[in-house]
Amino acid sequence: MRVGVVGLGLIGGSLALRLAHSASNVHVVAWNHHDNPYTKAKAQGIECVDSLEELVHSDLDVLFLCNPLKVMPHILHDISEYGLPEKTTLSDVGSVKGLVSQQVKEAGLYDQFVGAHPMAGNELSGFVAADASIYDNALWAVCVDEHTQLHRFMDVITVITQAVDNTCIVLNDEVHDKAAALISHMPHVVATAFINEIVDDPNRNIAALLAAGSWRDMTRVALTDPDRTRAMVEEDAQNVAQLLRSISKRLLAVADNLEEKDMTSLVEFFEQGNPFRLYKSGAVQNLVQQREFVADSEHWQQDLLDSAKKGERIISISLQNDDQIHAQAIQYGGIK
Amino acid sequence: MRVGVVGLGLIGGSLALRLAHSASNVHVVAWNHHDNPYTKAKAQGIECVDSLEELVHSDLDVLFLCNPLKVMPHILHDISEYGLPEKTTLSDVGSVKGLVSQQVKEAGLYDQFVGAHPMAGNELSGFVAADASIYDNALWAVCVDEHTQLHRFMDVITVITQAVDNTCIVLNDEVHDKAAALISHMPHVVATAFINEIVDDPNRNIAALLAAGSWRDMTRVALTDPDRTRAMVEEDAQNVAQLLRSISKRLLAVADNLEEKDMTSLVEFFEQGNPFRLYKSGAVQNLVQQREFVADSEHWQQDLLDSAKKGERIISISLQNDDQIHAQAIQYGGIK
């Protein structure tokens, strides 16, 4: 299997290293916008090429776009110009899926595309920080729709579950981006609102002196580069806006309850999250279940999405008789 | 110096141990609502008495109330009944100050009271978890108003800075409770709103699978006992309600900006917290300054509050010629 990687940053570089060291027989070809990482990458068995055009014409099964989102339209335009071979399936590793799909469509490459998003990374960046182990036990979201070609989906799934030795869930762009807004993009805005609140407070230094664990944890993500956070939020603007309105509604209801001394509603508010508390306590999380199922070849996208909704992780998918999709899934329990 | 402690839980027990082991000559007398901790406490040099009445009549300089807030009115009523000796200054260690002051007033003990709140603790509870080291380098908020008697304030400050070897800031109840609402009580409500949001989401298990560091940190405080969190929030209801409205206003403005693609306002929102980022990065925090100042004997409360507003910690206060207040303060820099 031949896999291409555009961009040897933290995520792309680590993926290239992981694939080059894979127990599966994978040949990795990479291109980076400058050749600084090439000496080290070549020493790790990664073939490095001098141009994106050369990479596109490297007889690849799958090509992963691991470049920054802001240069994505430019990269896609160039790939389209060079002519992506019919054999090659295009994928990516971006944290917002809807926007990338739209850009891929605009470049006329959507027929060959299956987007992905690995839950991997750390606060570092660049190939100097790249490390195959950031993919240890990682979960990938793979995004499909009714137009996704089954054999291209299988190409990407095979790289993830076999070559990278990871698990995945199968979503569509909309579900992915809403979930990412809930667990990451919206919380980043709230953390930022917190630090803005303290900066505006005439007693900010008193508050800062009294601050302990709860404040530290809830503002940590606001301390990273505000421009990068803003870009991430803008890319998922509609979902983030909707969640900000929903959270505000909850907070204003509590403000009303506190002022009206509505103790019944306050008890309800504080107990409503109990299913999540139970899940996090491990009482639910530790119930490991494994099952094998056959996805309907007409509605395989929906069958796999339904599996994800239960909280199952796919550990392998195989195609039998060309269109029978056999999936092995594992579940650590979910939020009831 | 003779110091009394009501309640040998985590905070009271650790304070009693700290005082018993103090380099200053402190005799500690404690009463707990059951005598389970007495054997261990006595072995550490703490005198344990059989009743609250006996404690009140133990010739104390300062008596610290370290009992749960919910039994505070009952404890205060009993102390009043037994007759608190004129010599004894009453203090406490509660995390909400306005409510306790009001209860102390209702018990007719306010002339002898100076409230306090040490920034110390952990997730454990009870005397089994008590440990003098939880007070290492702790900061106390000491709350005063225009009625606070200077010699009683000096009694409490002397225990904190000399016997416990800690620093303090001098506030009033209102400023304390507003700051505590900002850095702790309001964030607890927001963390709870987050977990309620995920529980209400039809794709909650997908979101939970995708969740990483930002979600984990921002919901951590929602995982503790919801009843305890609710009680804390209810005790500081007005301040929390006001902050929830302020945070909601900020979040709704961002939602508007995202929907209207108002990039200028979004840039402003994400950069507004930069003074806090600078403070946390240590660029400001590491500027250590020390100064000695004399607080005006007519307006010492305001002079000390002004010091706290700058982000100064008081390391010692002494009284000269009976009414000249000399304070030594240290500052690690503040939010500009």
Side-chain angles (χ1 to χ4, degrees), chain A residues 92-158:
Chain A
D92 78 320
V93 294
S95 56
V96 180
K97 304 318 308 170
L99 183 66
V100 173
S101 286
Q102 190 188 318
Q103 292 168 343
V104 172
K105 281 175 193 163
E106 283 162 11
L109 296 167
Y110 197 64
D111 285 350
Q112 288 170 260
F113 183 71
V114 181
H117 176 207
M119 306 301 123
N122 55 39
E123 71 286 7
L124 305 173
S125 60
F127 193 71
V128 287
D131 181 348
S133 72
I134 73 166
Y135 284 92
D136 285 353
N137 304 308
L139 174 78
W140 292 59
V142 178
C143 290
V144 299
D145 67 18
E146 64 276 22
H147 302 297
T148 304
Q149 296 177 14
L150 182 54
H151 76 96
R152 298 203 180 275
F153 167 72
M154 287 304 301
D155 286 345
V156 173
I157 288 289
T158 303

Side-chain angles (χ1 to χ4, degrees), chain A residues 205 217 220 222 277 335, chain B residues 205 217 220 222 250 277 335:
Chain A
N205 282 307
D217 284 359
R220 184 183 59 80
R277 293 189 183 99
I335 307 168
Chain B
N205 282 309
D217 285 358
R220 184 184 59 80
R250 292 175 195 273
R277 294 187 183 99
I335 308 168

